[in-house]
Amino acid sequence: MRRTRIAVLAATVVALGVTAAGTAAAGPTGDARDARDTNATAAHAAALAKAAALRKAIDGLPAADATAAQVRYKGEDLRWSGAAGRADLRTHRPVKGDERFRAGSITKTFTAAVALQLVHEKKLDLDGTVQHYLPGLLPAHYPDVKVRHLLDYTSGLPGGDTREAPKSPGWDKGRHTTWDHRALVQAGFGKPMEFTPGTRQHYSNIGYNVLGLLIEKVTGRTYEQELRARVIDRVGLKDTYSPGADPRIKGRHTHGYEAIKASGGGTRLVDTTEWDQSETWASGDLITTTADLERFTAALFAGRVVPQQELKLMFTVPEVPAYGSSRPAAYSSGLTRIQLVKNGPVYWGKSGSRYGYLSGFGATQDGTRSLVYSVNSTDAKGDAATAPDSRIGRIIMAGLGEPSA
């Protein structure tokens, strides 16, 4: 596979203004000036080091693990964006950094934002039940499931198996199947509840697809219409949309590829770009860009998308254990709590994957530091793709990690 030299779109260290000395009476003392100059120099050096680490993390593409990467970082002393690799291996078109991609489960953050707006408007009640809003959707023997349970993954609802497991012989057989939204939700309801609602947390798509149905029921409009009016247009996201049953990605975009074992040994890359995303719908069908995600993150965390009262839920993890383990829950309503090192800073964000695409964003709650990435991983559903020593792991540590880490 041909490699392409990294294309850095922008790498700017924000000037750390060191003013000229004034008179002894009006300006700082020599010691104060020295301390200020030392701090400015250290901050400048740290910004340059971070930019170099981000650049290194995406260098060398295309490679066996990924075909392209797009990254954006924003901090107090640095704004950086870069891209590397090929947007299309067939034409050898280089990625520029403004291409659209499939965002996968990042969609859940957008869906949560719509639902929480409706909670603020009292069109939805956090303690209202699915059985009340959508009678007949859940089996009669299921216990009451509240809106808050859907938002923070504590519903206990079983999800349906809409496609074969990754790397299995039939892994891509459903790529052109269009799912009815209600049928998608009910696909797993032949199974018993996983646990009593509100007692465990199990991350899955089911709750957010039910939220999609709830949004449509209480507004009388489609989920896609509400998402556009309440989030996409409100924030000014010019390259973000829900594709519906269209398997294509409109406009300039990166191609996704999955590495599959070849019959004669080794691996071959399968182009997974065209894929009907109705199998994920309100939990994972969004198409966007890194610039739009950066803009969305800033607006969301600043309270310009979800009112402050409801926004608190997006930064609150329920105090329950994770399903199937003794570990504490890590997900809030639409976000994930991220702490890369013990006693280190806390970030909030969301990741998402579709075949050929692995993306994510993370930021401090006050929005002073943020990272957005999209990597065209050739094993996007594999655990190795997000391991600490993976390309994505290195991107995350370069952007959000501390020097001591």
Side-chain angles (χ1 to χ4, degrees), residues 135-147:
L137 178 71
L138 307 186
H141 63 280
Y142 278 13
D144 284 349
V145 175
K146 298 178 179 180
V147 171

Side-chain angles (χ1 to χ4, degrees), residues 276-300:
D276 189 321
Q277 300 298 311
S278 62
E279 68 174 10
T280 63
W281 191 41
S283 66
D285 76 351
L286 205 68
I287 291 169
T288 188
T289 62
T290 55
D292 271 7
L293 277 184
E294 185 178 68
R295 178 186 291 269
F296 167 71
T297 303
L300 177 68

Side-chain angles (χ1 to χ4, degrees), residues 12-26:
T12 305
V13 179
V14 177
L16 304 169
V18 180
T19 59
T23 64

Side-chain angles (χ1 to χ4, degrees), residues 46-314:
L48 289 175
K50 184 173 288 292
L54 287 165
R55 189 177 299 115
K56 182 178 179 181
I58 63 172
D59 204 358
L61 293 176
D65 65 316
T67 56
Q70 304 175 73
V71 178
R72 299 180 74 90
Y73 172 83
K74 180 178 67 174
E76 292 180 330
D77 305 317
L78 175 69
R79 289 185 68 95
W80 188 93
S81 62
R86 302 289 188 187
D88 185 339
L89 294 183
R90 183 181 62 84
T91 64
H92 303 293
R93 175 168 56 89
V95 64
K96 294 182 178 180
D98 60 354
E99 287 87 351
R100 288 172 171 165
F101 54 84
R102 298 197 185 279
S105 286
I106 293 173
T107 306
K108 294 180 175 70
T109 310
F110 285 69
T111 301
V114 174
L116 289 171
Q117 285 184 27
L118 294 171
V119 169
H120 183 78
E121 296 166 11
K122 302 191 183 308
K123 294 178 181 178
L124 279 177
D125 187 330
L126 286 172
D127 290 315
T129 66
V130 176
Q131 287 88 340
H132 167 73
Y133 291 113
L134 296 167
L137 178 71
L138 307 186
H141 63 280
Y142 278 13
D144 284 349
V145 175
K146 298 178 179 180
V147 171
R148 67 170 71 249
H149 296 149
L150 302 174
L151 281 162
D152 63 15
Y153 309 97
T154 61
S155 71
L157 291 172
D161 300 319
T162 59
R163 53 179 160 77
E164 299 292 329
K167 308 298 186 182
S168 65
W171 68 280
D172 64 343
K173 72 177 184 180
R175 66 186 299 170
H176 295 296
T177 299
T178 299
W179 281 82
D180 172 80
H181 299 154
R182 193 177 180 95
L184 175 69
V185 164
Q186 295 179 315
F189 288 172
K191 308 173 188 177
M193 290 283 289
E194 293 182 334
F195 49 82
T196 301
T199 63
R200 297 284 189 276
Q201 184 178 79
H202 185 191
Y203 178 83
S204 66
N205 288 344
I206 180 65
Y208 276 74
N209 287 327
V210 176
L211 282 172
L213 293 178
L214 285 177
I215 289 166
E216 294 191 331
K217 179 63 181 292
V218 302
T219 64
R221 304 208 307 164
T222 67
Y223 162 79
E224 290 80 8
Q225 288 173 324
E226 289 297 307
L227 181 66
R228 175 155 293 281
R230 292 176 175 273
V231 181
I232 295 173
D233 288 347
R234 178 178 295 191
V235 181
L237 309 181
K238 64 184 181 67
D239 290 310
T240 300
Y241 73 99
S242 294
D246 188 347
R248 300 164 298 176
I249 301 178
K250 298 176 183 177
R252 293 181 61 257
H253 59 273
T254 56
H255 282 240
Y257 299 91
E258 186 74 10
I260 301 298
K261 288 184 179 179
S263 56
T267 60
R268 62 186 178 90
L269 292 181
V270 177
D271 191 324
T272 58
T273 308
E274 291 195 8
W275 200 299
D276 189 321
Q277 300 298 311
S278 62
E279 68 174 10
T280 63
W281 191 41
S283 66
D285 76 351
L286 205 68
I287 291 169
T288 188
T289 62
T290 55
D292 271 7
L293 277 184
E294 185 178 68
R295 178 186 291 269
F296 167 71
T297 303
L300 177 68
F301 284 31
R304 299 198 302 272
V305 180
V306 176
Q308 288 291 345
Q309 181 178 348
E310 287 71 29
L311 184 61
K312 293 177 183 177
L313 292 172
M314 301 191 81

